[in-house]
Amino acid sequence: MKQNPEKLAEQVKQAVKNPGRPPLETWNPELSGDMDLRIARDGQWIYQGEPLAREAIVRLFASILRREQDGEHYLVTPVEKWRIQVEDTPLLAHSLEVASVDGQQALSLTTNVGETLVVGQSHPLEVGVYPNTDEPRPIIHVRHGVTARLVTAAFYDLAEHVEERETDAGRVFGVVSQGNFYEIGQGG
């Protein structure tokens, strides 16, 4: 079964009457099938082998994207649910900003679809590693199971704000945002 991205975008526009985020948590249609849409590790959205040229479509699709318990990513509308392929994370995060909010440091990142996320309870930061390698995999949680991987420059910028702490497990390095400590590495 094939789906046209323009048609899916129009369905979402019709379903969402307010300017806020679509209520994905209330949309639970049956699986419609697999869409020939892949999000490459570099953040490019590729439909039927061709990059999606319209940024507005990518932004709209990002707003209806969720990752479910099975680990798969889906584009969801009130009446359709299409499985898509994601090579790493569906979004990228860049442009680290540091501000003081109510006397506390707040770190924010901007995604490749233009959304600013403040690192905190709603958008926690996590640094793991890629399987079979020691390469760090820094991500920020967006919503509905969707994550954004920090691009290298943003991760290096984050490293400029690292604090060292002693824990029961040993020395750890991390950053503080909105009063929360996020571990990004362990000491030697």
Side-chain angles (χ1 to χ4, degrees):
M1 191 175 216
K2 285 190 173 184
Q3 176 63 344
N4 180 322
E6 302 285 335
K7 180 181 173 199
L8 186 61
E10 187 57 37
Q11 288 176 350
V12 174
K13 287 178 188 174
Q14 294 299 319
V16 180
K17 304 288 188 225
N18 62 24
R21 295 262 164 223
L24 265 64
E25 63 279 355
T26 65
W27 295 348
N28 295 300
E30 293 294 319
L31 180 65
S32 302
D34 291 306
M35 181 183 281
D36 187 7
L37 177 64
R38 177 177 56 86
I39 305 174
R41 184 173 179 188
D42 67 2
Q44 191 167 57
W45 294 52
I46 302 166
Y47 178 68
Q48 295 183 339
E50 297 291 326
L52 281 176
R54 293 185 50 202
E55 186 177 332
I57 294 286
V58 171
R59 286 178 184 234
L60 181 63
F61 282 3
S63 75
I64 61 166
L65 180 64
R66 76 178 176 210
R67 183 174 184 210
E68 295 188 355
Q69 294 293 328
D70 63 3
E72 299 286 340
H73 289 83
Y74 299 90
L75 296 178
V76 183
T77 73
V79 296
E80 292 182 303
K81 176 175 152 181
W82 295 91
R83 183 176 24 238
I84 66 168
Q85 298 301 309
V86 176
E87 289 181 358
D88 186 7
T89 62
L91 303 175
L92 299 176
H94 57 83
S95 303
L96 178 73
E97 296 287 331
V98 181
S100 179
V101 178
D102 298 328
Q104 292 186 326
Q105 176 173 278
L107 305 173
S108 65
L109 295 151
T110 302
T111 69
N112 58 321
V113 293
E115 183 176 0
T116 298
L117 307 170
V118 179
V119 176
Q121 289 183 339
S122 295
H123 304 290
L125 180 70
E126 182 182 320
V127 179
V129 294
Y130 283 97
N132 304 318
T133 175
D134 289 332
E135 181 185 358
R137 185 176 181 265
I139 61 169
I140 184 170
H141 293 265
V142 180
R143 81 187 127 283
H144 303 297
V146 173
T147 57
R149 180 177 46 84
L150 277 66
V151 298
T152 304
F155 191 49
Y156 286 158
D157 290 344
L158 190 68
E160 292 179 19
H161 302 281
V162 165
E163 295 181 10
E164 183 178 338
R165 293 196 177 174
E166 209 48 57
T167 67
D168 292 340
R171 188 177 353 161
V172 297
F173 300 99
V175 294
V176 174
S177 184
Q178 296 188 324
N180 298 306
F181 181 76
Y182 297 94
E183 184 179 326
I184 65 170
Q186 295 185 338

